[in-house]
Amino acid sequence: MTQPPPPPPNQPPNPYAQQPGYGYPQQPPNPYAQQPGYGYPNQPPQPGYGYPGGQPGQPGGPAPAPGSGPGRNKPALLIVFAAVVAIALIVGGGIWYARSSGPDAQKDDTANSSGGGTGGQDADGGKNGKGTEKVPADTTSKILFQVPLPTAKDTTVTAGSWLTDKVYAKTGIAQITGYDPATGAKLWTVPLSGPVCRATGHVSADGRTAVVYQPKMPAKGSTAGCTQVAAIDLNTGRKLWTQTVKSGDVPIGFDNVTVAQQTVAVGGSSGGAAFDLASGKIRWQPKAADSCHDAGYGGGPELVAVRRCGDGDAGQLHIQTLDPVTGKVRSEYRMTSGIDYASVVSTDPLVVAADVNDSAGDGSGFSDVFSIDGSTGALRTRISTPGSSYAARCDGIYDLEKCTGVVVGNDRLYLATEQHDGDGDYTKTNEIVAFDLGTGKQTGQRADAGNNYTITPLRMDGPDVIAYKNAPYDKGAQVVSIDGGSFKETKLLENPVTTAVKAVETTMSPDYAEVRYSQGRLYLSAAYAHAPDPSSSPRQYLVTAFGAGG
């Protein structure tokens, strides 16, 4: 398989990745410098805490090589030892809201954005029913609680946050903690043997999710490998099971994890494996067979595999819809040879993004969108989404569900545009626009951010789009609902304009941190912890929760 090109200069690579990667800006973005935008007065840059920005390198541990896949015609395993360096650029934001019951108990009952996840939709994909979000009587927010950023000896992933009707849960350093959604009171803590590497945003109808983590705390500047797969019951605060997959005596590392219905699926350069969500029983795992391997999966209402077959220029990606229990292929779409990486934006309807021939031009991994019939594998339409015009970003290499700035619902693609000149002097703005996934054409729907605001779609709420609006220095960030038909915008929440709140907003935007919103409550959380920085000001937080009602 052709190795991906090295990262651009000054790009912080991924400490857990199997191979060197690319796909992000040449300079690590500074949340303070970038997010305030054109409406902010000049001020010196300050380090953010949603993003590691300029942390020291982290030599890696063992990593498996390409050559294996799940149950049907699975490839041979090869284990190589690769040096792995520094921290990945960003774990995207997004929203996931899981209910303890739903219209279909067999489906993954979650509303998540492609800020990290497939679907970008409720259980019905925005195809039926109405949204559940209500406009609070008073949309002005107040801080409900804050959790201090834990101190780490090295830059450490804290990716993973989930919101159910019972708990807000957040990854810390080698642990996951559940908090009361309103007060922040600690409800439970699940200790882990090492730091989390990857966390899916998908939550089953009964409140269960999954993570991949390291088997021990690594030495400074290294990783112990992302070999442990665990299921967590978010409602009870229990770790249900931990599993590993081995090639001989060597544990295999995984680059992504997802949940689809009652299946946990993990993928990487040595192929994919799947487990029963309740018991941890292995449903399939890499076996010797052919030259293909499952690089990763998209979850939610359906299970989709991105399967790589062949090496070098002849290599080809197969996008497969699978039976979550057996791994049997239900449909398959073969992408054009030469497309090395793809991200799963949604599994139902099936939508995949890729940077074709590196044509995005901005390292976003997002130049074209493929709308695929999940039942037949036929291509419905291909939509050109050049990086110069649209602000979506996808990982595609290491974590193929991590996208920001794009969600799917109503059989439409909702996409944030790049910033451009606003109506007034020295102003900038952007929009969310919609594409029909059947025709590939724009629908004419357009939601304007407003002067010096930047709008980002987070998730679907039935037929409506939930979006986050970064604000200028003299305004508070907002959460809004956009009607799926009229595209009328309704404000759900607006933060106060205080120094403390602006500090949180500017370092925890959807581009750099994890954003969760439901029923008048907004949760912003950091994707990384790091060693103390004496020059850092103000105080840094792992989580800041806002609630409507002033």
Side-chain angles (χ1 to χ4, degrees):
M1 181 175 63
T2 302
Q3 295 290 319
N10 299 324
Q11 176 193 322
N14 188 325
Y16 307 123
Q18 314 296 342
Q19 309 169 52
Y22 64 93
Y24 289 101
Q26 293 185 358
Q27 295 294 334
N30 183 310
Y32 265 88
Q34 182 161 334
Q35 290 309 313
Y38 294 81
Y40 275 76
N42 292 331
Q43 57 178 326
Q46 303 180 46
Y49 45 88
Y51 168 70
Q55 296 300 323
Q58 295 183 341
S68 65
R72 59 230 183 268
N73 297 324
K74 298 165 188 152
L77 286 174
L78 299 174
I79 300 296
V80 300
F81 292 86
V84 193
V85 288
I87 202 74
L89 181 63
I90 186 62
V91 175
I95 290 194
W96 297 269
Y97 178 64
R99 293 171 294 277
S100 58
S101 61
D104 185 352
Q106 298 305 311
K107 290 286 187 178
D108 182 43
D109 187 16
T110 179
N112 66 310
S113 88
S114 46
T118 60
Q121 58 199 39
D122 293 317
D124 66 2
K127 293 176 286 188
N128 300 295
K130 297 182 179 180
T132 63
E133 295 296 339
K134 305 300 181 184
V135 180
D138 182 355
T139 59
T140 302
S141 78
K142 62 180 179 181
I143 293 178
L144 297 178
F145 63 88
Q146 293 180 294
V147 178
L149 190 73
T151 300
K153 295 180 180 179
D154 220 345
T155 299
T156 302
V157 173
T158 58
S161 54
W162 305 267
L163 181 59
T164 77
D165 52 4
K166 296 180 179 179
V167 66
Y168 171 77
K170 174 62 185 170
T171 295
I173 297 179
Q175 65 180 25
I176 299 171
T177 301
Y179 302 91
D180 181 285
T183 68
K186 190 179 294 185
L187 302 178
W188 50 258
T189 296
V190 174
L192 302 171
S193 57
V196 166
C197 305
R198 301 293 184 197
T200 179
H202 296 296
V203 180
S204 68
D206 51 0
R208 296 174 177 181
T209 192
V211 297
V212 170
Y213 65 99
Q214 298 183 57
K216 61 181 180 180
M217 293 300 297
K220 186 175 182 179
S222 69
T223 174
C226 301
T227 58
Q228 311 295 299
V229 185
I232 309 296
D233 187 320
L234 297 172
N235 289 328
T236 64
R238 291 190 303 123
K239 182 169 68 173
L240 301 174
W241 49 263
T242 297
Q243 279 280 21
T244 59
V245 177
K246 294 183 178 181
S247 173
D249 295 329
V250 181
I252 295 172
F254 294 105
D255 294 330
N256 88 305
V257 57
T258 196
V259 170
Q261 300 176 37
Q262 292 296 312
T263 293
V264 175
V266 288
S269 61
S270 286
F275 311 89
D276 178 81
L277 179 58
S279 68
K281 180 180 178 181
I282 293 179
R283 289 183 165 168
W284 66 78
Q285 64 183 26
K287 292 181 180 178
D290 60 25
S291 60
C292 298
H293 73 278
D294 285 10
Y297 300 93
E302 301 290 345
L303 181 61
V304 171
V306 176
R307 185 166 170 83
R308 184 185 298 277
C309 296
D311 296 324
D313 294 337
Q316 189 177 36
L317 295 182
H318 297 198
I319 309 301
Q320 300 176 332
T321 299
L322 309 181
D323 182 303
V325 176
T326 66
K328 180 180 178 181
V329 178
R330 291 175 172 171
S331 69
E332 179 178 271
Y333 171 73
R334 297 189 179 187
M335 303 192 79
T336 304
S337 295
I339 299 176
D340 292 328
Y341 304 99
S343 296
V344 181
V345 180
S346 169
T347 63
D348 183 21
L350 179 51
V351 179
V352 173
D355 188 355
V356 179
N357 298 322
D358 300 329
S359 60
D362 59 356
S364 64
F366 198 99
S367 72
D368 292 79
V369 171
F370 298 79
S371 174
I372 302 166
D373 188 316
S375 300
T376 66
L379 180 67
R380 299 175 64 197
T381 189
R382 176 172 167 177
I383 303 170
S384 176
T385 55
S388 59
S389 300
Y390 299 102
R393 311 189 67 83
C394 291
D395 185 322
I397 301 175
Y398 304 122
D399 196 344
L400 54 79
E401 287 192 295
K402 292 299 181 184
C403 294
T404 59
V406 56
V407 300
V408 169
N410 303 317
D411 206 35
R412 292 172 181 172
L413 181 82
Y414 298 102
L415 191 58
T417 69
E418 289 286 1
Q419 281 195 332
H420 55 81
D421 289 340
D423 294 334
D425 294 338
Y426 310 109
T427 63
K428 289 289 180 177
T429 189
N430 80 320
E431 302 81 33
I432 294 174
V433 296
F435 291 84
D436 187 296
L437 289 173
T439 67
K441 297 179 179 180
Q442 284 199 36
T443 66
Q445 295 168 309
R446 175 190 181 107
D448 295 308
N451 284 337
N452 290 326
Y453 284 88
T454 303
I455 192 167
T456 303
L458 296 175
R459 65 169 171 90
M460 299 300 297
D461 174 37
D464 304 328
V465 180
I466 303 299
Y468 182 89
K469 293 175 66 172
N470 256 335
Y473 76 97
D474 56 347
K475 303 290 184 181
Q478 298 177 5
V479 177
V480 298
S481 177
I482 302 168
D483 186 276
S486 67
F487 246 47
K488 178 183 177 181
E489 180 182 309
T490 300
K491 183 169 64 177
L492 299 176
L493 192 77
E494 183 170 16
N495 286 343
V497 184
T498 67
T499 300
V501 170
K502 296 308 295 184
V504 171
E505 290 176 358
T506 53
T507 53
M508 287 197 180
S509 79
D511 287 336
Y512 306 108
E514 295 178 333
V515 183
R516 311 287 180 257
Y517 176 84
S518 181
Q519 304 303 331
R521 294 173 185 154
L522 171 67
Y523 304 83
L524 306 180
S525 68
Y528 297 92
H530 48 76
D533 182 356
S535 65
S536 178
S537 177
R539 187 176 182 181
Q540 301 177 3
Y541 294 96
L542 179 68
V543 179
T544 297
F546 299 90

